[in-house]
């Protein structure tokens, strides 16, 4: 992207900043708490609001039903064939806000305020997950469109409403609409910056696996004074299994766990080293000092790539 083309767009973003902020605040005021059925109407309102706003940028938008809270789909196709097609993902739902008495201010009344470290920050539920990020993308599109008259790539925007409750109904939605949502690139904005001065391009995200394990031993409740030591105790079996999940070097021992986990390319590893994530900076604030992961790996590898 040539600078000459980009600069007017950046200038436009600066000039329109207060309006952008107000548009974000309008979204932040909607109580789209997906976990609580009492707020289902608010989730719907957030979806409707976004569909309407994104439509003003020339997108064909729809609020699409799922088995749970609806998803917003917006599509913008240029007249010329063969342009790159970007799929953009975000979520409009937010985490519950209780206990309310721990908030210094009402969670759905956004404000810009001063942080202890001198930065100005936006305080509201969802401001940094994920309404702020998603509106950053929408506002970037808006500025580009306003300056140049059109957007440079084909874009499909998908905004779901159940990210904070596990996306149970969103995965079937994606499956059902696989062909329609096909794109060359996927941009997921449910991520953050490294720190206030270091932007980040997040190229992968960690997943989560869990399982329920039941261990049964004797066929009845036992008296320790009679059977202790002789009868197998399920707690003992369970702690042996849990204790065996890591070896003494912090390496995970589950067979196949590291299959497909690639070592970082040298240039990326060099960049990560420069970020200087140390036990002092990362663990000390939470009252710890010794990293728990693989001893032969950097702390940042332990939390980001392993
Ligand atoms: Zn999120």
């Amino acid at each position: 992207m040539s600078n000459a083309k980009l600069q007017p767009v950046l200038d436009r973003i600066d000039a329109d900043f207060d309006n952008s902020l107000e548009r974000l605040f309008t979204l932040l005021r909607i109580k789209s708490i997906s976990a609580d059925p009492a707020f289902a109407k608010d989730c719907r309102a957030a979806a409707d609001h976004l569909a309407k706003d994104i439509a003003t940028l020339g997108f064909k938008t729809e609020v699409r039903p799922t088995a749970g809270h609806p998803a917003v789909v917006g599509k913008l196709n240029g007249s010329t064939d063969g342009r790159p097609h970007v799929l953009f993902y975000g979520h409009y739902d937010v985490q519950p806000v209780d206990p309310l008495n721990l908030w210094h201010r009402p969670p759905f009344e956004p404000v810009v305020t001063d942080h202890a470290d001198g930065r100005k920050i936006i305080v509201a539920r969802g401001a940094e997950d994920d309404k702020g990020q998603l509106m950053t993308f929408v506002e970037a599109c808006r500025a580009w469109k306003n300056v140049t008259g059109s957007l440079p790539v084909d874009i499909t925007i998908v905004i779901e409403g159940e990210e904070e409750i596990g996306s149970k109904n969103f995965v079937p939605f994606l499956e059902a609409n696989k062909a329609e949502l096909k794109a060359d690139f996927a941009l997921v904005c449910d991520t953050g910056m490294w720190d206030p001065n270091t932007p980040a391009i997040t190229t992968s995200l960690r997943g989560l696996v869990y399982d329920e394990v039941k261990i049964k031993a004797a066929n009845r409740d036992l008296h320790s004074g009679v059977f202790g030591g002789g009868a197998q105790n399920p707690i003992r079996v369970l702690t042996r299994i849990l204790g065996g999940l890591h070896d003494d070097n912090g390496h995970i021992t589950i067979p196949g766990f590291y299959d497909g986990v690639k070592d970082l390319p040298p240039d990326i590893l060099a960049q990560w080293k420069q970020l200087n994530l140390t036990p002092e900076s990362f663990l000390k604030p939470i009252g710890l000092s010794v990293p728990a992961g693989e001893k032969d790996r950097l702390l940042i590898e332990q939390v980001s790539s392993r």
Side-chain angles (χ1 to χ4, degrees):
M1 196 61 59
S2 76
N3 245 356
K5 208 166 177 192
L6 192 55
Q7 195 54 51
V9 176
L10 295 174
D11 291 344
R12 170 78 200 192
I13 287 172
D14 288 342
D16 199 33
F17 187 79
D18 289 346
N19 294 323
S20 296
L21 200 60
E22 190 40 49
R23 284 187 287 265
L24 169 60
F25 279 17
T26 302
L27 181 61
L28 288 172
R29 288 186 192 108
I30 304 175
K31 302 172 182 176
S32 45
I33 301 169
S34 53
D36 186 344
F39 294 91
K41 253 196 227 142
D42 303 84
C43 288
R44 173 79 205 194
D48 287 341
H49 169 79
L50 279 165
K52 226 168 129 191
D53 186 30
I54 293 165
T56 65
L57 307 178
F59 284 75
K60 279 198 193 99
T61 60
E62 284 176 321
V63 175
R64 301 263 287 261
T66 73
H69 300 300
V72 180
V73 177
K75 286 184 205 166
L76 183 131
N77 297 305
S79 47
T80 46
D81 283 344
R83 303 201 307 175
H85 186 170
V86 174
L87 177 78
F88 173 81
Y89 165 89
H91 64 89
Y92 64 76
D93 64 321
V94 301
Q95 284 274 327
V97 291
D98 34 4
L100 263 175
N101 61 335
L102 293 183
W103 285 78
H104 298 294
R105 334 180 0 93
F108 294 103
E109 292 175 22
V111 279
V112 176
T113 179
D114 293 306
H115 191 263
D117 66 8
R119 284 179 296 146
K120 287 215 174 298
I121 58 167
I122 297 166
V123 179
R125 170 55 91 224
E128 67 154 7
D129 186 8
D130 183 37
K131 289 174 175 174
Q133 291 95 319
L134 100 79
M135 284 307 286
T136 302
F137 182 82
V138 171
E139 290 301 313
C141 289
R142 194 182 326 265
W144 190 282
K145 175 101 194 285
N146 284 343
V147 171
T148 68
S150 63
L151 288 166
V153 290
D154 288 350
I155 301 172
T156 300
I157 293 182
V158 182
I159 305 169
E160 74 156 313
E162 299 198 309
E163 198 276 343
E164 301 292 8
I165 49 172
S167 302
K168 221 180 283 167
N169 299 304
F170 188 59
V171 175
F173 178 83
L174 291 180
E175 283 290 344
N177 298 287
K178 211 190 275 186
E180 181 195 334
L181 299 173
K182 201 167 147 24
D184 301 312
F185 306 95
L187 267 178
V188 175
C189 79
D190 201 10
T191 55
M193 286 168 57
W194 175 254
D195 64 30
N197 301 311
T198 316
I201 297 173
T202 303
T203 55
S204 56
L205 294 165
R206 277 207 276 207
L208 177 72
V209 177
Y210 54 90
D211 214 337
E212 184 176 322
V213 176
K214 282 187 183 155
I215 294 163
K216 289 182 190 156
N219 61 5
R220 71 199 66 187
D221 203 9
L222 302 178
H223 191 296
S224 60
V226 178
F227 289 101
Q232 187 55 271
N233 182 340
I235 296 288
R236 202 172 125 194
V237 177
L238 183 62
T239 51
R240 200 173 69 222
I241 294 169
L242 294 176
L245 291 177
H246 296 83
D247 67 16
D248 288 345
N249 289 315
H251 196 78
I252 292 164
T253 57
I254 301 168
F257 181 83
Y258 293 102
D259 286 359
V261 177
K262 291 181 196 150
D263 269 317
L264 293 171
D267 54 332
I268 300 288
L269 185 61
Q271 284 184 6
W272 284 24
K273 280 182 179 161
Q274 281 177 16
L275 295 171
N276 201 25
L277 189 77
T278 64
E280 179 76 13
S281 65
F282 186 64
L283 296 177
K284 202 179 167 191
I286 56 167
L288 299 173
S289 55
V290 183
E294 294 161 284
K295 289 197 170 123
D296 58 346
R297 296 282 175 175
L298 299 172
L299 183 52
I300 192 166
E301 289 179 281
Q302 294 176 15
V303 295
S304 300
S305 68
R306 297 296 291 170

